[in-house]
Amino acid sequence: MGKNIQVLFRDMRVSDYFFILAVIANVLLVIYLGIGNYQNAAKVAASQNNAEEIITWFETLASKNEANEPIEPVACTPIDEDEKLIKGVKPNHWKNCVEALFAAKGPFESYVNLLNPAGPAYTAKCNKTDLLNSGALIFEKLTPNPAGPPGVSPLEPGERLVSGLQIRLSLCDTGFYLIRIGEFKL
């Protein structure tokens, strides 16, 4: 075995050794990048699972609202269109609802931004200028359009929670593109 190795390396030049080192370095780099991409993909998949749980929670909220059952947190209780016209009825706002959901003792208090732990768990839009948005959940308002697909706009903090409000939940991925998770109605 030793003689075979000596015969193999005997006729090699210095440039051949550099080539072998370059190939080994490339293989190690591909392995390193592959492991990093796999870990990021696992974090994105976990974030998608968390987002699906949020959608399920909102679907349960809608069924509780139809059955006139109490809703926790109260800040997420939508009002009916009829109640909106009654004076003295104050509608809840999106800002209060989303803060109650992700606050301490809220149903999603343990949800964090898995791709960027220093970043927010949710944000208004996926913005490339703010690098902390990568991995954040995006809530968008869907406005029905009789002529085609619904109009999409960011869900503003002052948005009133009204029954029938359509919301799309997306995830801002590492390339700052939206991964659509699903839609739900209040």
Side-chain angles (χ1 to χ4, degrees):
M1 178 86 171
K3 265 189 165 179
N4 291 339
I5 291 176
Q6 287 177 354
V7 170
L8 178 67
F9 288 109
R10 183 176 40 192
D11 294 330
M12 291 180 63
R13 290 184 239 138
V14 174
S15 61
D16 294 335
Y17 289 110
F18 283 126
F19 177 75
I20 289 172
L21 287 175
V23 168
I24 291 171
N26 281 333
V27 168
L28 292 175
L29 180 65
V30 167
I31 290 171
Y32 173 74
L33 293 175
I35 290 170
N37 285 341
Y38 176 79
Q39 290 172 342
N40 278 344
K43 291 175 185 177
V44 168
S47 296
Q48 287 176 320
N49 290 338
N50 289 345
E52 288 172 1
E53 289 178 17
I54 292 172
I55 290 173
T56 303
W57 186 88
F58 272 105
E59 289 170 349
T60 304
L61 175 122
S63 64
K64 282 183 178 180
N65 191 37
E66 288 176 9
N68 292 327
E69 294 178 22
I71 297 173
E72 286 296 324
V74 177
C76 292
T77 306
I79 62 168
D80 291 330
E81 289 291 330
D82 301 334
E83 292 177 11
K84 194 164 93 171
L85 300 175
I86 300 172
K87 292 185 180 187
V89 175
K90 293 187 179 187
N92 290 320
H93 292 96
W94 174 247
K95 178 184 179 204
N96 299 336
C97 175
V98 77
E99 286 175 353
L101 292 175
F102 289 95
K105 296 186 181 174
F108 308 115
E109 70 177 313
S110 64
Y111 290 11
V112 294
N113 185 333
L114 297 175
L115 291 174
N116 253 336
Y122 61 91
T123 187
K125 63 181 184 174
C126 192
N127 191 353
K128 291 181 183 181
T129 59
D130 187 2
L131 299 178
L132 294 177
N133 285 347
S134 175
L137 297 171
I138 312 292
F139 293 91
E140 298 170 309
K141 177 182 175 183
L142 297 175
T143 306
N145 182 2
V152 179
S153 61
L155 200 54
E156 299 295 329
E159 183 75 37
R160 293 184 172 131
L161 299 181
V162 179
S163 293
L165 179 67
Q166 290 184 309
I167 299 173
R168 175 188 291 161
L169 181 58
S170 302
L171 177 69
C172 185
D173 76 351
T174 55
F176 295 95
Y177 295 103
L178 287 179
I179 299 173
R180 291 186 183 144
I181 306 299
E183 299 173 1
F184 57 89
K185 279 187 180 183
L186 292 182

